[in-house]
Amino acid sequence: MQIQFELAKYDEALDKFDLDETLYQIEISEEDAQTYELLKSSDLNLYNWFIEADFFTQYIREEVYPYGDHKKIAVCDINDISFRRFFFFKVSSGDSHYDYFKKLFNIFEESDWQDREEVGKQILERLKTKRLELLIDLTEDVEIEHESKENETVESDGEV
C-alpha cells in the first residue's frame, strides 16, 4: 500500500510553520497497511502511529531531508486526512475548525453570543502545547547516533 503525505517545516525562532509543498509517497508493508486501516478513522491516533513508525522516520531521514536541512517538521496530510488545522489555525478559521478544537480541548461556550475571538484565543493557547507534541524532531536520533559512534571509537582505541 502506498501512503501520500505532505509536511510542514517548523521555524522554532519564529514559532511558525511553512508548508513544504511537496507530495511524498511511501510504500508500507501489508501489516502496516492493516494498522493504517484500523487507525484512519481516529485522526490523532493515526498521526501518532505514523510519526512514530520506523519506516516513516527512516524515510524522512534518508529520502526527504538526508542532510538534516530541517530540524523540526510536522505532517500536514496523510492520504486524504488533513492535520493542517493544528499548524495553521487562526482566529478567523472556519466554523468546522472551531467545532473540532472545542470538542478536542473541551471548551464550553456559555452562550451562542460568546465572542468567537475569545474562543479562538483559548484554542490558540491550547494549541501551543499540542503542536509541540505533534512535532517530529529530526535532531534527536542523529545526536544519539553521533554519541554512540564516539563511544565505539573510544572503546576501539582502548583495545589496541
Side-chain angles (χ1 to χ4, degrees):
M1 174 182 187
Q2 279 203 341
I3 292 181
Q4 293 182 339
F5 62 95
E6 288 186 75
L7 301 172
K9 300 169 267 186
Y10 179 64
D11 184 334
E12 198 166 7
L14 299 175
D15 188 30
K16 74 172 197 142
F17 292 87
D18 292 314
L19 195 58
D20 182 314
E21 296 187 16
T22 303
L23 184 62
Y24 298 99
Q25 289 186 356
I26 188 169
E27 185 73 32
I28 62 172
S29 70
E30 196 171 310
E31 182 180 327
D32 288 330
Q34 290 173 353
T35 303
Y36 170 83
E37 290 299 324
L38 288 171
L39 296 175
K40 73 179 182 180
S41 63
S42 176
D43 58 354
L44 288 178
N45 288 332
L46 173 65
Y47 189 95
N48 290 326
W49 167 75
F50 193 66
I51 67 170
E52 292 171 5
D54 290 337
F55 68 82
F56 176 72
T57 53
Q58 181 179 353
Y59 179 79
I60 294 297
R61 285 196 172 97
E62 292 177 3
E63 303 293 328
V64 179
Y65 301 124
Y67 305 107
D69 297 340
H70 305 290
K71 305 296 183 214
K72 294 185 179 182
I73 60 169
V75 179
C76 286
D77 300 294
I78 301 173
N79 283 346
D80 57 350
I81 302 165
S82 180
F83 300 94
R84 292 174 190 233
R85 67 177 93 196
F86 285 94
F87 313 113
F88 300 107
F89 179 84
K90 294 179 176 28
V91 174
S92 58
S93 291
D95 290 340
S96 64
H97 302 298
Y98 270 84
D99 293 339
Y100 178 88
F101 286 123
K102 285 190 305 187
K103 183 178 177 183
L104 180 68
F105 296 132
N106 293 322
I107 297 174
F108 177 73
E109 288 182 279
E110 293 179 19
S111 67
D112 291 338
W113 55 266
Q114 187 174 5
D115 190 1
R116 179 183 171 109
E117 194 169 316
E118 183 182 314
V119 174
K121 287 178 184 177
Q122 286 181 40
I123 291 170
L124 284 172
E125 190 62 36
R126 294 183 186 178
L127 268 175
K128 283 182 182 179
T129 54
K130 191 66 175 171
R131 286 175 178 152
L132 295 177
E133 293 173 16
L134 300 176
L135 282 176
I136 304 162
D137 190 346
L138 296 175
T139 59
E140 287 179 356
D141 290 337
V142 173
E143 290 172 7
I144 292 168
E145 287 174 16
H146 179 68
E147 288 174 12
S148 66
K149 285 182 183 178
E150 285 178 353
N151 290 341
E152 288 174 15
T153 306
V154 170
E155 288 175 12
S156 64
D157 289 343
E159 292 175 3
V160 176

